[in-house]
Amino acid sequence: MAIDDTKTFAEVLDKRRILICVGSGGVGKTTTSAVVGLQAALSGKRVLVLTIDPARRLANSLGIDEIGNERQKIPLERFQEIGLEPKGELWAMMLDMKESFDRLVQRDAPDEETRDAILNNRFYHYFSTSLAGTQEYAASERLYDLHEEGHFDLIVLDTPPTTHALDFLEAPERLADAVGSRALQWLYKPGVLSGRPGRGLMAVGTNYVMRTLGKFTGGELLRELSVFLRTFSALFDGFEQRARAVQKLLASDDVGFLVVTAPDTLTVEEALFFHDQLGSEALNVDGFVVNRVHPRWVDENTLDRGERELAAKLEALAQRMDHFPESLDFDAMAASMVENALQFQLRADQDAGSVVHMSQELPSETPIVQVPYFNQDIHSLGGLDTARRELFG
Ligand SMILES: Nc1ncnc2c1ncn2[C@@H]1O[C@H](COP(=O)(O)OP(=O)(O)OP(=O)(O)O)[C@@H](O)[C@H]1O
Ligand SMILES: [Mg+2]
């Protein structure tokens, strides 16, 4: 939807090397990331859209079968099929967190023996796949590497849904903390290592860990744990250093955040909360995308006057058909269609109200761009291009 801030929004692409799409679940982060990537690629940049979404939504909409751990270039023919001629390149990559974590170990382990000891350890396996925050951490590390490598003009990062916009940013530090001490301390507690059911929360943890790690005897578990703690501690320094570097990058002017939201009241409140969280860390919020906005089709006057006219049109249409039931009540049909349109109108009004509310709450220089509710999911490059025209005018 063309609005005054469209230009500012396009300028963001020139300003940043990394754009991170954040927002609540299902609002359109993956779609927006792809749309932003597409726009940048068309305008001449070499762009990577980095996703963590294991669903194949991004691959589908980019017209490729699958996105793997390795970056993949969207073939030129895909664009040409829909009449687009990108001046740049669009690449996509799916971030596999287990693989990303393994890479960290491979990189930071002091020697091959330590590396193998970690990678083959079942605690490590649990740690690298199940501990809260590992996903965000692996993503931020990978982002850092890709940025340092300098192959892409722009990296667009699609994040998993979070309730806290800074999960991603804080992940390195939290993880370093977790590895360092607190979170692992409970493993030493009696009952955990023997697998005997205990009480309360600890028992839940115990049983979960025992199930995750499979059947161990207490001795095996102890041995495995001590190997994990000993070998993994060799990586602590690397973790901390990297955590600091990643944080510094995310807070730099190379990086901007796009907050994606749906227009309903609750989701908008969450988006405004994200904005405050990002702002409190002095991060760059480059704009808001209000996705799935119900557009206004007709004005109320037309609807009021239209009922009789519509009934007449329906009747004329029916008479042109070969067979139609005599008993059709065209007035009733027209009335329910108008009622339906009025309900839709109401949604459109509510959505417009949300956007006004956002513009009152946000600093005037923060662009808010709207994308309408399309009548079908966006699952092709053509669909992304339609959304792109709305976003960038
Ligand atoms: N403007 C729109 N109109 C119609 N459908 C849309 C629109 N934007 C997104 N969709 C569809 O909504 C679904 C969810 O979008 P998307 O996957 O981008 O959300 P997400 O925020 O990444 O979700 P998650 O939090 O689960 O990762 C997709 O099927 C997508 O095609
Ligand atoms: Mg997604």
Side-chain angles (χ1 to χ4, degrees), residues 26 28-31 51 53 57 158-161:
K29 296 176 293 297
T30 303
T31 307
T51 182
D53 189 357
R57 283 186 204 145
D158 164 38
T159 58

Side-chain angles (χ1 to χ4, degrees), residues 115-310:
R115 181 197 65 198
D116 295 342
I118 297 175
L119 292 178
N120 296 324
N121 185 284
R122 271 179 276 191
F123 274 99
Y124 167 73
H125 183 79
Y126 166 72
F127 180 84
S128 63
T129 56
S130 313
L131 203 70
T134 45
Q135 188 163 342
E136 284 85 358
Y137 182 74
S140 64
E141 278 266 359
R142 197 61 174 273
L143 181 71
Y144 183 84
D145 282 346
L146 287 161
H147 174 72
E148 288 286 286
E149 187 189 297
H151 182 74
F152 295 100
D153 304 316
L154 176 70
I155 300 171
V156 187
L157 178 75
D158 164 38
T159 58
T162 75
T163 46
H164 194 283
L166 294 181
D167 273 359
F168 186 76
L169 183 72
E170 289 171 351
E173 202 179 320
R174 272 213 316 272
L175 205 69
D177 274 0
V179 174
S181 58
R182 276 171 278 154
L184 290 178
Q185 277 173 11
W186 63 273
L187 282 168
Y188 298 106
K189 302 225 171 181
V192 173
L193 293 177
S194 66
R196 274 195 304 274
R199 282 205 186 135
L201 200 62
M202 194 57 77
V204 177
T206 306
N207 293 334
Y208 178 63
V209 169
M210 293 312 286
R211 270 203 313 279
T212 313
L213 297 176
K215 289 223 175 307
F216 275 77
T217 65
E220 278 171 352
L221 194 63
L222 253 181
R223 229 179 358 262
E224 196 122 353
L225 175 61
S226 81
V227 168
F228 173 68
L229 291 176
R230 187 161 39 76
T231 49
F232 210 68
S233 67
L235 306 186
F236 286 175
D237 287 349
F239 259 63
E240 280 188 334
Q241 261 175 33
R242 301 275 299 180
R244 268 197 296 277
V246 172
Q247 260 170 338
K248 199 165 152 222
L249 168 67
L250 292 179
S252 76
D253 276 342
D254 275 348
V255 183
F257 288 77
L258 295 178
V259 183
V260 186
T261 182
D264 64 277
T265 316
L266 209 67
T267 316
V268 164
E269 287 312 319
E270 270 172 21
L272 291 173
F273 180 58
F274 281 164
H275 175 264
D276 293 347
Q277 287 181 330
L278 293 165
S280 70
E281 297 284 326
L283 301 173
N284 302 305
V285 181
D286 281 336
F288 275 71
V289 177
V290 191
N291 189 31
R292 289 213 195 82
V293 175
H294 292 79
R296 268 189 151 266
W297 283 350
V298 274
D299 63 66
E300 261 93 17
N301 289 336
T302 316
L303 279 177
D304 283 345
R305 281 188 280 106
E307 208 167 304
R308 277 236 46 82
E309 219 174 288
L310 184 61

Side-chain angles (χ1 to χ4, degrees), residues 24-39:
S24 315
V27 291
K29 296 176 293 297
T30 303
T31 307
T32 304
S33 306
V35 168
V36 168
L38 176 61
Q39 169 70 19

Side-chain angles (χ1 to χ4, degrees), residues 17-131:
R17 300 282 313 281
I18 295 175
L19 283 171
I20 303 177
C21 293
V22 294
S24 315
V27 291
K29 296 176 293 297
T30 303
T31 307
T32 304
S33 306
V35 168
V36 168
L38 176 61
Q39 169 70 19
L42 290 177
S43 68
K45 289 189 190 291
R46 182 184 284 164
V47 193
L48 174 71
V49 180
L50 184 59
T51 182
I52 313 177
D53 189 357
R56 301 217 334 239
R57 283 186 204 145
L58 184 67
N60 288 341
S61 53
L62 292 175
I64 51 179
D65 292 339
E66 205 157 299
I67 304 179
N69 272 325
E70 294 305 321
R71 62 196 80 173
Q72 193 177 335
K73 189 176 162 189
I74 313 305
L76 189 61
E77 305 85 72
R78 292 286 101 80
F79 295 96
Q80 290 169 334
E81 281 160 12
I82 54 165
L84 294 178
E85 205 59 58
K87 295 200 203 90
E89 296 173 0
L90 183 58
W91 295 68
M93 184 172 137
M94 192 165 95
L95 205 139
D96 176 315
M97 71 163 162
K98 170 94 181 96
E99 196 256 1
S100 298
F101 229 95
D102 291 352
R103 282 168 69 118
L104 301 187
V105 173
Q106 275 154 3
R107 188 197 58 206
D108 289 350
D111 52 61
E112 280 180 27
E113 203 186 328
T114 313
R115 181 197 65 198
D116 295 342
I118 297 175
L119 292 178
N120 296 324
N121 185 284
R122 271 179 276 191
F123 274 99
Y124 167 73
H125 183 79
Y126 166 72
F127 180 84
S128 63
T129 56
S130 313
L131 203 70

